[in-house]
Amino acid sequence: MKNEKIILGIDPGTTIMGFGIISVTKGKMEMISIHELILKKYPNHETKLKYIFERTLSLIDEFHPDEVALEAPFFGKNVQSMLKLGRAQGVAMAASLYRDIPITEYSPKKIKMAITGNGNASKEQVAAMLQNLLNLKEFPTKYLDASDGLAVAVCHHFNSGNAVSEKSYSGWESFLRQNPDRAR
């Protein structure tokens, strides 16, 4: 039986995408790594999606996570922004499923609630609580999107085995079974 579990948390974005990786050994969490992918420098959305896929795959190949947790897109008023964000999430999901890694999605409120106890907490409050939970002397990144990726991983650990209302996928077939409206 494996004692260690590695979780990759992803905060999808089209400007900055955040990734956080934790290790859980006998219930004790430790931050392994934190990354951000700066996407605002790329000329178009298609190029951004390519880099999201490549970066997600490279992190999977480097750290060999057992599970991937993603922040689900929240519903906004700008349909074009939502579409782009959904594509970014979908590409990260595809990279994870390509490597046969199970995925779980969490809503932004659920993530904030798991970390701070307040579903309306600010990004700064989430980062401060993560620093405390993971015993970090200082936060290792200036981008709060990266800390959001770490928050997704920690939320997943806290909710392991309890993800009742969240969606989990163990592969393409599982994804398609749970989302028949997305298959065309």
PDB file of all heavy atoms in Angstrom, residues 137-150:
ATOM      1  N   LYS A 137       7.226  29.725   5.534  1.00  0.00           N
ATOM      2  CA  LYS A 137       7.737  30.953   6.149  1.00  0.00           C
ATOM      3  C   LYS A 137       7.292  32.182   5.365  1.00  0.00           C
ATOM      4  O   LYS A 137       6.934  33.187   5.918  1.00  0.00           O
ATOM      5  CB  LYS A 137       9.258  30.896   6.246  1.00  0.00           C
ATOM      6  CG  LYS A 137       9.731  29.786   7.160  1.00  0.00           C
ATOM      7  CD  LYS A 137      11.067  30.086   7.751  1.00  0.00           C
ATOM      8  CE  LYS A 137      11.622  28.992   8.614  1.00  0.00           C
ATOM      9  NZ  LYS A 137      10.745  28.190   9.379  1.00  0.00           N
ATOM     10  N   GLU A 138       7.343  32.068   4.050  1.00  0.00           N
ATOM     11  CA  GLU A 138       6.817  33.116   3.177  1.00  0.00           C
ATOM     12  C   GLU A 138       6.151  32.443   1.993  1.00  0.00           C
ATOM     13  O   GLU A 138       6.443  31.289   1.679  1.00  0.00           O
ATOM     14  CB  GLU A 138       7.918  34.068   2.717  1.00  0.00           C
ATOM     15  CG  GLU A 138       9.030  33.413   1.946  1.00  0.00           C
ATOM     16  CD  GLU A 138      10.115  34.408   1.552  1.00  0.00           C
ATOM     17  OE1 GLU A 138      10.527  35.210   2.400  1.00  0.00           O
ATOM     18  OE2 GLU A 138      10.509  34.376   0.384  1.00  0.00           O
ATOM     19  N   PHE A 139       5.252  33.179   1.358  1.00  0.00           N
ATOM     20  CA  PHE A 139       4.554  32.571   0.244  1.00  0.00           C
ATOM     21  C   PHE A 139       5.470  32.595  -0.969  1.00  0.00           C
ATOM     22  O   PHE A 139       6.046  33.623  -1.297  1.00  0.00           O
ATOM     23  CB  PHE A 139       3.215  33.265  -0.032  1.00  0.00           C
ATOM     24  CG  PHE A 139       2.211  32.282  -0.523  1.00  0.00           C
ATOM     25  CD1 PHE A 139       1.541  31.462   0.362  1.00  0.00           C
ATOM     26  CD2 PHE A 139       1.975  32.116  -1.866  1.00  0.00           C
ATOM     27  CE1 PHE A 139       0.651  30.502  -0.084  1.00  0.00           C
ATOM     28  CE2 PHE A 139       1.088  31.169  -2.328  1.00  0.00           C
ATOM     29  CZ  PHE A 139       0.425  30.364  -1.426  1.00  0.00           C
ATOM     30  N   PRO A 140       5.618  31.454  -1.661  1.00  0.00           N
ATOM     31  CA  PRO A 140       6.637  31.309  -2.698  1.00  0.00           C
ATOM     32  C   PRO A 140       6.315  31.927  -4.060  1.00  0.00           C
ATOM     33  O   PRO A 140       7.076  31.744  -4.986  1.00  0.00           O
ATOM     34  CB  PRO A 140       6.780  29.796  -2.835  1.00  0.00           C
ATOM     35  CG  PRO A 140       5.493  29.245  -2.374  1.00  0.00           C
ATOM     36  CD  PRO A 140       4.950  30.197  -1.365  1.00  0.00           C
ATOM     37  N   THR A 141       5.236  32.648  -4.183  1.00  0.00           N
ATOM     38  CA  THR A 141       4.902  33.251  -5.478  1.00  0.00           C
ATOM     39  C   THR A 141       4.201  34.575  -5.259  1.00  0.00           C
ATOM     40  O   THR A 141       3.536  34.783  -4.243  1.00  0.00           O
ATOM     41  CB  THR A 141       4.013  32.310  -6.326  1.00  0.00           C
ATOM     42  OG1 THR A 141       3.727  32.941  -7.573  1.00  0.00           O
ATOM     43  CG2 THR A 141       2.718  31.984  -5.628  1.00  0.00           C
ATOM     44  N   LYS A 142       4.352  35.461  -6.217  1.00  0.00           N
ATOM     45  CA  LYS A 142       3.656  36.747  -6.119  1.00  0.00           C
ATOM     46  C   LYS A 142       2.267  36.693  -6.750  1.00  0.00           C
ATOM     47  O   LYS A 142       1.457  37.562  -6.563  1.00  0.00           O
ATOM     48  CB  LYS A 142       4.484  37.861  -6.758  1.00  0.00           C
ATOM     49  CG  LYS A 142       4.664  37.743  -8.255  1.00  0.00           C
ATOM     50  CD  LYS A 142       5.473  38.894  -8.801  1.00  0.00           C
ATOM     51  CE  LYS A 142       5.585  38.794 -10.309  1.00  0.00           C
ATOM     52  NZ  LYS A 142       6.247  39.940 -10.888  1.00  0.00           N
ATOM     53  N   TYR A 143       1.995  35.626  -7.516  1.00  0.00           N
ATOM     54  CA  TYR A 143       0.716  35.515  -8.200  1.00  0.00           C
ATOM     55  C   TYR A 143      -0.284  34.728  -7.363  1.00  0.00           C
ATOM     56  O   TYR A 143      -0.029  33.582  -6.995  1.00  0.00           O
ATOM     57  CB  TYR A 143       0.885  34.822  -9.562  1.00  0.00           C
ATOM     58  CG  TYR A 143       1.714  35.626 -10.525  1.00  0.00           C
ATOM     59  CD1 TYR A 143       3.032  35.276 -10.782  1.00  0.00           C
ATOM     60  CD2 TYR A 143       1.183  36.740 -11.164  1.00  0.00           C
ATOM     61  CE1 TYR A 143       3.797  36.016 -11.670  1.00  0.00           C
ATOM     62  CE2 TYR A 143       1.940  37.488 -12.050  1.00  0.00           C
ATOM     63  CZ  TYR A 143       3.252  37.117 -12.297  1.00  0.00           C
ATOM     64  OH  TYR A 143       3.997  37.853 -13.166  1.00  0.00           O
ATOM     65  N   LEU A 144      -1.410  35.322  -7.079  1.00  0.00           N
ATOM     66  CA  LEU A 144      -2.434  34.646  -6.289  1.00  0.00           C
ATOM     67  C   LEU A 144      -3.129  33.539  -7.075  1.00  0.00           C
ATOM     68  O   LEU A 144      -3.736  32.663  -6.483  1.00  0.00           O
ATOM     69  CB  LEU A 144      -3.441  35.656  -5.742  1.00  0.00           C
ATOM     70  CG  LEU A 144      -2.850  36.612  -4.697  1.00  0.00           C
ATOM     71  CD1 LEU A 144      -3.866  37.678  -4.301  1.00  0.00           C
ATOM     72  CD2 LEU A 144      -2.360  35.864  -3.473  1.00  0.00           C
ATOM     73  N   ASP A 145      -2.986  33.553  -8.399  1.00  0.00           N
ATOM     74  CA  ASP A 145      -3.540  32.459  -9.204  1.00  0.00           C
ATOM     75  C   ASP A 145      -2.796  31.158  -8.896  1.00  0.00           C
ATOM     76  O   ASP A 145      -3.393  30.089  -8.862  1.00  0.00           O
ATOM     77  CB  ASP A 145      -3.430  32.778 -10.703  1.00  0.00           C
ATOM     78  CG  ASP A 145      -4.176  34.041 -11.056  1.00  0.00           C
ATOM     79  OD1 ASP A 145      -5.377  33.948 -11.349  1.00  0.00           O
ATOM     80  OD2 ASP A 145      -3.557  35.121 -11.003  1.00  0.00           O
ATOM     81  N   ALA A 146      -1.486  31.261  -8.669  1.00  0.00           N
ATOM     82  CA  ALA A 146      -0.707  30.079  -8.308  1.00  0.00           C
ATOM     83  C   ALA A 146      -1.137  29.577  -6.938  1.00  0.00           C
ATOM     84  O   ALA A 146      -1.277  28.371  -6.720  1.00  0.00           O
ATOM     85  CB  ALA A 146       0.783  30.393  -8.331  1.00  0.00           C
ATOM     86  N   SER A 147      -1.383  30.499  -6.003  1.00  0.00           N
ATOM     87  CA  SER A 147      -1.840  30.069  -4.677  1.00  0.00           C
ATOM     88  C   SER A 147      -3.229  29.454  -4.775  1.00  0.00           C
ATOM     89  O   SER A 147      -3.563  28.541  -4.021  1.00  0.00           O
ATOM     90  CB  SER A 147      -1.813  31.221  -3.669  1.00  0.00           C
ATOM     91  OG  SER A 147      -2.725  32.239  -4.008  1.00  0.00           O
ATOM     92  N   ASP A 148      -4.037  29.906  -5.722  1.00  0.00           N
ATOM     93  CA  ASP A 148      -5.355  29.300  -5.926  1.00  0.00           C
ATOM     94  C   ASP A 148      -5.215  27.854  -6.404  1.00  0.00           C
ATOM     95  O   ASP A 148      -5.993  26.982  -6.012  1.00  0.00           O
ATOM     96  CB  ASP A 148      -6.186  30.102  -6.932  1.00  0.00           C
ATOM     97  CG  ASP A 148      -6.752  31.380  -6.337  1.00  0.00           C
ATOM     98  OD1 ASP A 148      -6.659  31.573  -5.103  1.00  0.00           O
ATOM     99  OD2 ASP A 148      -7.281  32.196  -7.113  1.00  0.00           O
ATOM    100  N   GLY A 149      -4.222  27.567  -7.237  1.00  0.00           N
ATOM    101  CA  GLY A 149      -3.966  26.196  -7.656  1.00  0.00           C
ATOM    102  C   GLY A 149      -3.594  25.321  -6.464  1.00  0.00           C
ATOM    103  O   GLY A 149      -4.062  24.189  -6.327  1.00  0.00           O
ATOM    104  N   LEU A 150      -2.793  25.881  -5.569  1.00  0.00           N
ATOM    105  CA  LEU A 150      -2.418  25.175  -4.349  1.00  0.00           C
ATOM    106  C   LEU A 150      -3.646  24.952  -3.470  1.00  0.00           C
ATOM    107  O   LEU A 150      -3.827  23.882  -2.883  1.00  0.00           O
ATOM    108  CB  LEU A 150      -1.351  25.984  -3.609  1.00  0.00           C
ATOM    109  CG  LEU A 150      -0.659  25.333  -2.432  1.00  0.00           C
ATOM    110  CD1 LEU A 150       0.055  24.058  -2.838  1.00  0.00           C
ATOM    111  CD2 LEU A 150       0.328  26.323  -1.814  1.00  0.00           C
TER     112      LEU A 150
END
